Amino acid sequence: MQQLEVCELFAGVGGFRLGLEKTGRYNIVWSNQWEPSTKTQHASMVYEARFGAKNHSNANIEDVPTSEIPDHDILVGGFPCQDYSVATTLKNSKGLIGKKGVLWWSIHRILSEKKNKPKYLFLENVDRLLKSPSTQRGRDFAVMLRSLSNLGYAVEWRVINAAEYGMPQRRRRVFFLAYHKSTAIFEALQDSNPSDWVLSDGTIASTFPVEHHKKVFHSLELEEDLASLSEHFNAEKGPSPFLNSGVCVEGRVVTLKTKPVYDGPRAVLGDVLENGSADPSLFIHEESLPKWEYLKGSKKEIRKTKAGFEYKYSEGSMMFPDAINQPSRTIITGEGGKSPSRFKHVVQTSKGPRRLSPVELERLNMFPDNHTFLEGISDTKRAFFMGNALVVGIVEKIGAALFHKIDQVEKQF
Ligand SMILES: C[S@@+](CC[C@H](N)C(=O)[O-])C[C@H]1O[C@@H](n2cnc3c(N)ncnc32)[C@H](O)[C@@H]1O
């Protein structure tokens, strides 16, 4: 096997592409990125500047006909966590009525309509997906797993915090791999002991080792009818049954609580700081320091809603400035810009406290320096891209492990 052909959805500035290309085992044959909230398509501009405009689509994925998407071996992407509820299934077809604007259903549509379905999927989401919505915990993930089962895919998933495997940012995301029933890995997973797959034999375990935590596990069966599953899943309003690792084959889920096993080197925030003089706009002026201190500090106060209702508000303090001998906190989309904030990072330097530069934010996601640098793209936008992106090192490792697994398992069968 030479290389796998990849289709990258919700591409942003190309985090998946960077990680996969680093392995030398993947060739991106088509990508799509469209930002609904702005006229100028900044992320797509960066993507095209780095990787070329050929085979890149800058259109709402909901409007892209499946016929325009070339056949590929693996579909990848980080899609938004939204409400995946299913109102009703169309009587005489496989068609589903998922809400317009809910992008899980765009992935679903492509997988349903493609005659040559991709053999593998590699997806990423916020870990909140395992527990949402709050009124019916775990329902959205259940709908997603069962719809993949119905489309012929077995899934393994894991919540990974990049810092727990030595990377410089505490960014926790859920990663999924799905294997179509036409593949040897599907068969291997189907024949395996599910706990062994999660703990040692699976693709993710081979590159991000774990151990079983306090032997906590659940198994459950997801009903096939998505509309009914969506209506009834956890209607008793208990906690989500989904733990941080698991597998799902033909609607049968085994999920385990695992904890990372890692004793390699550990990168910290201090490692990504640029040497030399930082841009003056990053420094915090003395007059705004009290506002920063207030926002970062602990508080217990009475606040008013817009409608005039009073409520008690309290929160603990954040470390201020941030510790440079530890991995950073999660970068969020609002990390850029001058205005004081509870969540932006601030580091102490010999010239005073300052925010992080765009290059430092790129390094926290293990992107190449200045990947997002482009005429006409502000530093605030560059920070926004990194808040939306992922830690490239995770994609690289899972990508390499997947290629290896395919190679190994296909030979056995
Ligand atoms: C979580 S981010 C993924 C970022 C990406 N993994 C990266 O490394 O930059 C989701 C992306 O989906 C894009 N998006 C949102 N709605 C979309 C739509 N309807 N069609 C295509 N892309 C969309 C957003 O603009 C955003 O860049």
Side-chain angles (χ1 to χ4, degrees):
M1 193 172 51
Q2 293 298 306
Q3 280 194 319
L4 291 169
E5 299 203 321
V6 183
C7 184
E8 185 184 26
L9 299 184
F10 311 107
V13 291
F16 262 103
R17 182 170 189 150
L18 285 171
L20 293 176
E21 284 187 345
K22 266 184 142 180
T23 68
R25 302 297 199 177
Y26 295 87
N27 174 28
I28 284 65
V29 295
W30 194 80
S31 54
N32 173 269
Q33 159 59 33
W34 183 73
E35 173 51 51
S37 63
T38 55
K39 192 158 177 279
T40 310
Q41 293 291 310
H42 304 95
S44 213
M45 284 158 58
V46 169
Y47 192 97
E48 292 190 356
R50 294 297 158 258
F51 305 112
K54 198 167 161 245
N55 301 327
H56 179 70
S57 146
N58 177 215
N60 183 348
I61 191 67
E62 295 184 291
D63 302 331
V64 176
T66 302
S67 56
E68 275 182 23
I69 305 175
D71 284 350
H72 48 281
D73 301 305
I74 171 163
L75 183 88
V76 305
F79 57 105
C81 172
Q82 297 165 301
D83 180 332
Y84 299 168
S85 58
V86 181
T88 172
T89 40
L90 297 173
K91 259 208 176 107
N92 55 354
S93 76
K94 285 180 262 158
L96 286 169
I97 306 193
K99 278 191 216 110
K100 174 99 180 127
V102 177
L103 297 167
W104 167 247
W105 301 116
S106 293
I107 298 180
H108 191 275
R109 170 180 59 89
I110 295 165
L111 298 176
S112 319
E113 291 177 359
K114 267 248 161 248
K115 231 170 100 215
N116 292 323
K117 297 193 197 314
K119 294 192 187 93
Y120 310 101
L121 314 177
F122 181 6
L123 306 171
E124 177 247 8
N125 211 307
V126 290
D127 61 340
R128 191 178 71 243
L129 170 63
L130 300 182
K131 298 188 182 140
S132 56
S134 57
T135 49
Q136 221 181 324
R137 296 225 173 259
R139 181 204 64 197
D140 291 347
F141 194 54
V143 167
M144 187 184 138
L145 289 178
R146 186 68 235 198
S147 56
L148 286 174
S149 287
N150 295 355
L151 290 162
Y153 291 90
V155 178
E156 66 170 294
W157 80 84
R158 169 88 72 74
V159 174
I160 299 175
N161 178 344
E164 289 178 339
Y165 290 95
M167 299 180 203
Q169 185 187 169
R170 280 182 273 151
R171 193 174 188 88
R172 186 181 286 119
R173 290 291 183 269
V174 57
F175 292 87
F176 320 83
L177 290 173
Y179 311 105
H180 190 254
K181 61 182 181 222
S182 59
T183 64
I185 305 191
F186 180 98
E187 280 181 49
L189 170 51
Q190 192 176 37
D191 295 344
S192 75
N193 171 322
S195 301
D196 289 347
W197 190 274
V198 170
L199 294 172
S200 56
D201 300 349
T203 311
I204 302 178
S206 73
T207 188
F208 289 108
V210 277
E211 61 190 27
H212 202 166
H213 185 63
K214 296 185 175 164
K215 304 275 177 246
V216 182
F217 92 102
H218 303 142
S219 56
L220 58 149
E221 183 102 24
L222 304 172
E223 63 173 308
E224 193 173 344
D225 183 280
L226 290 183
S228 176
L229 177 69
S230 169
E231 190 182 340
H232 300 121
F233 189 83
N234 202 0
E236 57 281 7
K237 302 195 186 302
S240 169
F242 299 113
L243 302 166
N244 64 353
S245 322
V247 292
C248 175
V249 185
E250 288 175 347
R252 283 184 307 280
V253 174
V254 173
T255 173
L256 279 71
K257 188 159 172 53
T258 58
K259 63 175 192 188
V261 174
Y262 177 79
D263 61 6
R266 290 183 183 274
V268 294
L269 175 55
D271 296 333
V272 309
L273 299 181
E274 287 187 279
N275 296 323
S277 56
D279 189 298
S281 70
L282 295 173
F283 286 90
I284 301 212
H285 292 297
E286 228 171 283
E287 60 275 17
S288 66
L289 204 54
K291 184 79 202 271
W292 282 91
E293 282 166 345
Y294 166 75
L295 291 170
K296 297 266 185 185
S298 72
K299 43 193 95 63
K300 268 192 186 136
E301 54 198 32
I302 303 291
R303 289 190 178 176
K304 257 189 191 167
T305 65
K306 273 189 191 143
F309 294 111
E310 287 192 343
Y311 63 99
K312 280 187 194 151
Y313 183 82
S314 68
E315 62 189 7
S317 62
M318 307 278 284
M319 189 173 276
F320 182 62
D322 286 271
I324 60 166
N325 62 352
Q326 288 173 18
S328 76
R329 291 172 290 108
T330 306
I331 307 166
I332 57 166
T333 49
E335 181 78 42
K338 263 188 157 66
S339 60
S341 143
R342 183 170 168 82
F343 299 106
K344 292 177 192 176
H345 290 79
V346 172
V347 288
Q348 187 62 52
T349 70
S350 56
K351 295 193 184 110
R354 67 162 175 86
R355 292 180 295 109
L356 298 182
S357 71
V359 164
E360 289 162 348
L361 295 174
E362 288 166 343
R363 290 178 182 173
L364 288 176
N365 272 333
M366 300 171 76
F367 273 63
D369 284 6
N370 285 315
H371 179 83
T372 59
F373 177 80
L374 195 65
E375 195 65 37
I377 305 269
S378 68
D379 285 3
T380 310
K381 269 278 173 248
R382 293 179 68 186
F384 177 83
F385 297 148
M386 288 302 105
N388 251 342
L390 38 65
V391 179
V392 167
I394 295 186
V395 174
E396 182 185 354
K397 280 178 72 95
I398 295 180
L402 176 63
F403 189 90
H404 181 70
K405 187 87 176 168
I406 295 170
D407 209 32
Q408 198 187 26
V409 177
E410 294 288 343
K411 275 184 202 148
Q412 267 171 31
F413 273 74

